[in-house]
Amino acid sequence: MHPDLRYLSVLIVAAAMWSGAAHSTDLRAAILANPCAGCHGMDGVSPGTIPSINQLSADAIVAALKAFKSGERPGTVMDRIAKGYTDEEIQRIADYFQSLKK
Amino acid sequence: MTNFSRREFLKYAGALSALSAFGCASMGGASGPRIVVIGGGFGGATCAKYLRKLAGPTVGITLIEKNSSYVTCPFSNTVIGGLRSIDTITHNYETLAKKYNIEVVFDTVTGIDATSKTVTLQGGKTLAYERAVISPGIDFKWGAIEGYDEAASETLPHAWKAGTQTVLLRKQLEAMADGGVVLIAAPPDPFRCPPGPYERASLIANYLKQSKPKSKIVILDAKDKFSKQPLFQDAWDNLYPGMIEWVPGSQGGKVTRADVKEMTLYVDNSAHKGDVINVIPAQKAGALAHSAGLANESGWCPVDPRTFESKVHKNIHVIGDACLGGKMPKSGYAAHSQAKVCAAQIAAMLIGQPPVDPSWINTCYSLIAPDYGITVAAVYRATADGIVDVQGAGGVSPREAPKSVRQAEAIYAEGWYKSVTADAFS
Ligand SMILES: Cc1cc2nc3c(=O)[nH]c(=O)nc-3n(C[C@H](O)[C@H](O)[C@H](O)COP(=O)(O)OP(=O)(O)OC[C@H]3O[C@@H](n4cnc5c(N)ncnc54)[C@H](O)[C@@H]3O)c2cc1C
């Protein structure tokens, strides 16, 4: 790493701490995963009849979404939704929910 | 990190000093820039909350809303159908204020000055913003149906903004004698909640079937087709045979005049008398969008499909029903989903990052009976053609499905309502 850049990363971390969460959050992942919360509850914790997904591991979320996507697992609505994402995006969404557990 | 260019470095450094310039902003204990969100519905409430989640604790967030509580249109058809009480669909702003440190102001915004970046309130105050987000919902095109204005809506309710209008329509249905005729005038596109008029007819039928089985519902429609039509019509034949008549626009459905005294709707010269009449008028973006010059000739607000920043005025974002959201319908879930994208983009912009590649989901649940639900769903992306749905995904519930699937969707509809309202308001 170039010395300038090392200094820069310190600055960015400082900026992140200074102005809050935005830079520690992967915004692209958040944008992909946030709409799921309208049904599954904020951060995947559901207050109602739709299952919570916050307790699932990233692998379990990936497996479920891929199974809905391929039609292997039936669903009332998840089959239609899972088809809207690439496998890479599914991984990203699952990792995002996993990251909330820390 | 090694890909970081000098230019990006300068951008970050610039962002930092820009943020410090707001160091002395005073409201709500926040020291960063101030974002003013106008309208505390599905769009505005969600955006304010997710700004706090995504842009961090130092950003000042003000939410300005006319009313001190919010009655949701979603599930208001269950109130009209006698399945729920109005207080179960009424929400407040306490959690947003206390837990998310959002400054909630109950007042009406009377003007937005995009040049001085200020917002004027009816109460006399002026507030400065770094960016403004507006989610004012819809207003009606009064007079599009001759004789139907705000005063007429006190006798022939629209019940298309939830609250007293919802309760009024419910009371009228309760007071109606068995054998009565309920007229519903359904609006032309585009309007909020495309399946809404047909869900309403269904839940009124569910009530009448039990309490006033000789009654009838006639839907006079400005359109020739409607959302989830085959699913609705199959279910009507099954659950409410002979009870609901739908008249398409080209076959005498387009209401042109309302006579309040005579309790009559006219389609040109043919008269339809009703015992209860629900007129859902044609719609446009909420009045504020027009007075602030944000709407175009369509009556709605053109926006950048990635950030929802107005194409007319910089630093003002328009979300929800009021915006031209490409292929997304005007729904609470769409407004909620747009609000989260808008919050994330503002969080990025505040630190000088370019907008992120966005995506959205919309799902509209409709109840045809308490144990009979259907959906339309889609996943959306921003493209050169604006916001479009991902091909091969989404769509409506299957036309052939066992009762258990309709039951499951009705149960999930309740779950959706709980999740989405909690995600927006608590
Ligand atoms: C009968 C019915 C059923 C529906 N069912 C569903 C459903 O099941 N699912 C679904 O997803 N959607 C449903 N919808 C649609 C949903 O209600 C709307 O799409 C949603 O409310 C749009 O959110 P919004 O934030 O754009 O506007 P709104 O929710 O209308 O919020 C706008 C807010 O701004 C405030 N405001 C306006 N102007 C000002 C001003 N100048 N100053 C201060 N405050 C102001 C208003 O008081 C209001 O609180 C339904 C609609 C109807 C009518």
Side-chain angles (χ1 to χ4, degrees):
Chain A
M1 201 188 241
H2 193 278
D4 265 354
L5 292 175
R6 203 169 312 140
Y7 170 65
L8 169 65
S9 63
V10 172
L11 224 158
I12 288 169
V13 171
M17 283 164 43
W18 191 84
S19 63
H23 341 302
S24 50
T25 306
D26 175 352
L27 284 175
R28 168 68 183 143
I31 256 184
L32 280 167
N34 277 342
C36 312
C39 282
H40 287 285
M42 186 171 69
D43 300 336
V45 185
S46 170
T49 53
I50 294 179
S52 286
I53 54 173
N54 70 308
Q55 79 293 1
L56 299 176
S57 68
D59 286 350
I61 293 179
V62 168
L65 289 183
K66 285 187 176 168
F68 283 127
K69 186 175 160 182
S70 70
E72 185 194 316
R73 178 170 170 182
T76 55
V77 71
M78 276 315 292
D79 49 340
R80 285 176 272 155
I81 289 169
K83 290 190 178 83
Y85 299 92
T86 63
D87 287 355
E88 186 254 324
E89 287 169 339
I90 287 174
Q91 186 67 51
R92 200 110 187 235
I93 292 171
D95 290 343
Y96 179 79
F97 282 108
Q98 178 81 37
S99 76
L100 298 177
K101 291 183 183 162
K102 290 191 205 114
Chain B
M1 198 55 70
T2 41
N3 291 334
F4 241 98
S5 71
R6 205 166 181 88
R7 254 186 82 206
E8 276 169 309
F9 165 68
L10 291 174
K11 227 160 56 186
Y12 271 94
L16 254 184
S17 55
L19 284 169
S20 333
F22 288 88
C24 56
S26 59
M27 285 183 289
S31 53
R34 178 149 299 272
I35 311 296
V36 170
V37 181
I38 303 166
F42 278 100
T46 306
C47 193
K49 175 171 161 179
Y50 273 76
L51 272 168
R52 177 61 74 228
K53 275 173 73 75
L54 297 168
T58 61
V59 173
I61 304 166
T62 302
L63 176 65
I64 309 170
E65 163 59 47
K66 264 182 217 179
N67 305 308
S68 58
S69 62
Y70 178 75
V71 184
T72 63
C73 284
F75 273 66
S76 66
N77 286 331
T78 68
V79 175
I80 290 164
L83 302 170
R84 270 186 184 236
S85 65
I86 194 96
D87 52 288
T88 66
I89 60 163
T90 304
H91 302 265
N92 65 52
Y93 300 95
E94 256 167 53
T95 312
L96 292 185
K98 290 200 184 120
K99 189 164 164 202
Y100 293 93
N101 189 25
I102 291 162
E103 187 197 29
V104 181
V105 177
F106 296 119
D107 206 333
T108 298
V109 174
T110 50
I112 307 175
D113 185 333
T115 314
S116 64
K117 295 171 65 171
T118 54
V119 160
T120 317
L121 307 184
Q122 202 161 54
K125 262 202 211 161
T126 299
L127 303 178
Y129 62 80
E130 174 64 15
R131 285 185 177 272
V133 179
I134 82 161
S135 191
I138 54 140
D139 267 303
F140 301 116
K141 292 183 176 170
W142 299 116
I145 292 175
E146 190 191 330
Y148 193 74
D149 55 13
E150 196 158 7
S153 75
E154 282 166 28
T155 313
L156 317 183
H158 53 75
W160 220 244
K161 289 186 183 187
T164 51
Q165 279 275 311
T166 311
V167 174
L168 176 62
L169 182 54
R170 174 64 198 159
K171 286 198 171 132
Q172 292 180 346
L173 290 166
E174 281 171 353
M176 189 180 84
D178 191 7
V181 173
V182 179
L183 295 182
I184 299 176
D189 291 320
F191 63 104
R192 74 162 26 157
C193 197
Y198 316 97
E199 179 190 62
R200 176 170 291 176
S202 309
L203 293 183
I204 292 176
N206 178 64
Y207 164 68
L208 296 177
K209 182 180 168 182
Q210 288 161 29
S211 307
K212 294 156 192 180
K214 284 180 278 183
S215 311
K216 256 198 90 164
I217 300 165
V218 180
I219 306 170
L220 298 169
D221 208 326
K223 304 174 294 301
D224 278 342
K225 54 182 173 41
F226 61 87
S227 172
K228 298 183 260 191
Q229 184 169 346
L231 290 172
F232 274 112
Q233 289 181 323
D234 287 354
W236 291 345
D237 288 345
N238 255 314
L239 302 173
Y240 314 117
M243 200 167 215
I244 302 175
E245 183 192 349
W246 174 68
V247 186
S250 63
Q251 290 166 49
K254 211 177 258 173
V255 174
T256 48
R257 186 158 71 87
D259 189 324
V260 175
K261 270 203 204 105
E262 299 292 325
M263 288 294 284
T264 302
L265 296 181
Y266 289 88
V267 176
D268 300 320
N269 290 322
S270 72
H272 297 261
K273 231 176 145 38
D275 297 289
V276 171
I277 303 181
N278 170 213
V279 177
I280 306 167
Q283 295 158 34
K284 59 182 180 184
L288 179 65
H290 295 272
S291 66
L294 295 161
N296 67 16
E297 64 291 344
S298 71
W300 309 95
C301 304
V303 293
D304 179 299
R306 290 161 64 83
T307 62
F308 293 91
E309 188 164 3
S310 164
K311 287 190 173 165
V312 183
H313 291 308
K314 268 185 129 40
N315 303 311
I316 301 178
H317 302 247
V318 187
I319 56 173
D321 289 351
C323 78
L324 285 164
K327 297 269 188 224
M328 294 187 83
K330 299 189 184 302
S331 77
Y333 202 142
H336 181 70
S337 198
Q338 291 167 0
K340 291 172 177 177
V341 166
C342 184
Q345 306 293 32
I346 290 177
M349 289 158 129
L350 283 175
I351 53 160
Q353 278 185 19
V356 189
D357 215 6
S359 79
W360 301 263
I361 301 177
N362 177 63
T363 303
C364 289
Y365 280 95
S366 298
L367 289 174
I368 300 181
D371 61 352
Y372 194 116
I374 56 172
T375 44
V376 55
V379 177
Y380 298 89
R381 300 299 160 105
T383 69
D385 300 324
I387 301 175
V388 299
D389 45 320
V390 177
Q391 294 303 303
V396 297
S397 308
R399 194 156 174 192
E400 302 296 334
K403 220 172 169 288
S404 58
V405 169
R406 308 296 189 213
Q407 266 166 353
E409 290 221 276
I411 291 165
Y412 289 140
E414 296 270 347
W416 168 80
Y417 183 78
K418 251 199 164 150
S419 289
V420 79
T421 51
D423 200 16
F425 295 98
S426 56

